[in-house]
Amino acid sequence: DRQGNIGYKTILSLPIRSSRALLENQAAHEGWDSANDWQGFLPSELLPQVINPAQGWLVSANHRPIASFYPVSLGISTGSAGDTDRSWRLKERVKSQAGKFTPEDVLDIHYDTVASIKRDLVKLGYHLRDVQKYPLEEETLRALEYLESWQAAGSKLEMSIKGTEILNLMPLAFRQNFAA
């Protein structure tokens, strides 16, 4: 705002489901039984929000708006299940930026194609192979060798870079909700 404050607020009407709700509130219920009715809505002050965080910045890239300790399910869509590869990279870029952003800085971040989670997994593979001398499977060793040029090119997901084609097939399940 004009005073320099920053903030984030989750804006939604989150129903409080019946205590009989099935599958962590993710299943449909019979509409003819009033015992399945919603019990109201979660008060807005209990939804994730922050004003002027200590780190001095906020990012939004379809990732969890609050840590996993938050006891209320925010749904199964994006925004409710942890960092995405994009939000992970966005946080890296913002943390590394000294001072204010120029319009060029913002565009550079917008067009950034570094796959940070995949980059870090590949780095872990190199660490196991080269530093720990861990006995990796032959297929893993071939994959790591094949990905050396991808890593050297900046770990970018661009089809002109050898290795991107197989990394695009790498499934990541970091965004799962796990019940306690």
Side-chain angles (χ1 to χ4, degrees), residues 62-164:
N62 294 334
H63 59 284
R64 181 189 297 274
I66 194 165
S68 61
F69 67 82
Y70 188 70
V72 180
S73 172
L74 296 175
I76 60 171
S77 64
T78 60
S80 63
D83 270 312
T84 63
D85 197 40
R86 185 71 188 137
S87 66
W88 188 309
R89 179 65 177 157
L90 182 57
K91 289 176 183 178
E92 285 180 348
R93 294 290 305 265
V94 171
K95 287 177 185 177
S96 69
Q97 180 72 29
K100 295 186 178 188
F101 288 88
T102 66
E104 293 78 19
D105 294 331
V106 174
L107 276 176
D108 186 53
I109 290 171
H110 177 75
Y111 290 110
D112 186 307
T113 61
V114 171
S116 55
I117 295 173
K118 292 176 182 182
R119 175 204 61 211
D120 291 351
L121 286 173
V122 171
K123 281 184 180 179
L124 176 60
Y126 292 135
H127 181 79
L128 289 171
R129 180 190 73 185
D130 303 335
V131 177
Q132 297 293 321
K133 307 295 185 197
Y134 188 82
L136 298 170
E137 299 283 333
E138 186 59 36
E139 292 171 332
T140 303
L141 293 170
R142 283 197 311 268
L144 289 171
E145 183 178 341
Y146 186 80
L147 293 171
E148 286 174 357
S149 60
W150 177 78
Q151 183 195 34
S155 305
K156 297 177 181 181
L157 288 183
E158 296 177 11
M159 291 308 294
S160 61
I161 301 172
K162 177 184 164 186
T164 297

